[in-house]
Amino acid sequence: MIDPVTLMPAGVDGGYETYGNKLSGPFTAHPKLDSRDRRDGVLRLLRQGALHKEVSIQTVDKAGKVMRAEILERLNSSMVHDFAVTRNWIVLPIFPLTGSMERAMSGKPPFAWEPDKGTHIRLHPRKGTVADVKWVTAPASYVFHPMNHYETDDGRSWSMS
């Protein structure tokens, strides 16, 4: 919640929601209430540090109870701004726009375009675990806001643009 006068965080302990101290740290810009979960108030979000290789998939119910929190290892410390959710998958893009604490500490820009790392799309099953992840590799690219993501009825193909 934001105070409308000062624009400072307000309304929760310390100004930031931590879901009972179960979750803390930066989240991606766009948590998801997808059409299948909206009726139940389930929120899906990614917790990440843009300068670290770990990212965590979080699922929180409408009462604020953390239902799922899995830590995932990324191939690099990619800047993940947004992600997608389909009927069966959480789609996490790993782009070659990388963050580096070493670069930042040496006075260089913390983020750099490293196209030789390529693009990797992590397909994490909504009802599975890290062990069930599938990967798709593509040429170097970057997308801030994925759109038009869906699965066909047979679950065999999907699209994200």
Side-chain angles (χ1 to χ4, degrees):
M1 179 186 302
I2 295 179
D3 181 291
V5 176
T6 66
L7 299 180
M8 296 299 294
V12 295
D13 186 29
Y16 297 96
E17 178 59 67
T18 63
Y19 297 99
N21 291 322
K22 300 250 187 218
L23 304 177
S24 64
F27 294 90
T28 55
H30 304 287
K32 305 290 183 228
L33 278 173
D34 70 77
S35 61
R36 286 172 171 43
D37 291 333
R38 192 168 304 215
R39 64 183 168 262
D40 298 325
V42 174
L43 178 68
R44 295 182 189 280
L45 48 92
L46 293 176
R47 185 176 65 81
Q48 68 159 346
L51 301 180
H52 304 286
K53 286 181 76 173
E54 290 182 345
V55 64
S56 180
I57 294 176
Q58 314 287 338
T59 305
V60 179
D61 70 14
K62 67 181 174 183
K65 180 182 176 192
V66 177
M67 300 166 52
R68 177 181 184 174
E70 287 189 85
I71 303 241
L72 314 172
E73 189 74 20
R74 291 187 277 192
L75 300 174
N76 58 54
S77 56
S78 172
M79 170 59 166
V80 178
H81 179 77
D82 199 359
F83 66 105
V85 179
T86 69
R87 181 177 58 229
N88 294 302
W89 301 97
I90 298 167
V91 183
L92 174 63
I94 309 294
F95 298 116
L97 177 60
T98 63
S100 167
M101 185 60 78
E102 289 176 24
R103 276 195 304 259
M105 297 303 286
S106 70
K108 296 177 184 173
F111 294 96
W113 179 248
E114 297 186 70
D116 55 309
K117 294 186 183 286
T119 292
H120 306 276
I121 308 296
R122 182 183 186 120
L123 301 168
H124 192 87
R126 286 173 53 150
K127 295 184 180 175
T129 68
V130 174
D132 302 314
V133 164
K134 297 179 189 253
W135 287 94
V136 175
T137 300
S141 63
Y142 192 88
V143 175
F144 272 100
H145 298 112
M147 298 183 289
N148 197 31
H149 44 279
Y150 67 91
E151 285 179 56
T152 57
D153 287 338
D154 63 10
R156 293 182 53 123
S157 63
W158 57 278
S159 175
M160 182 172 79
S161 54

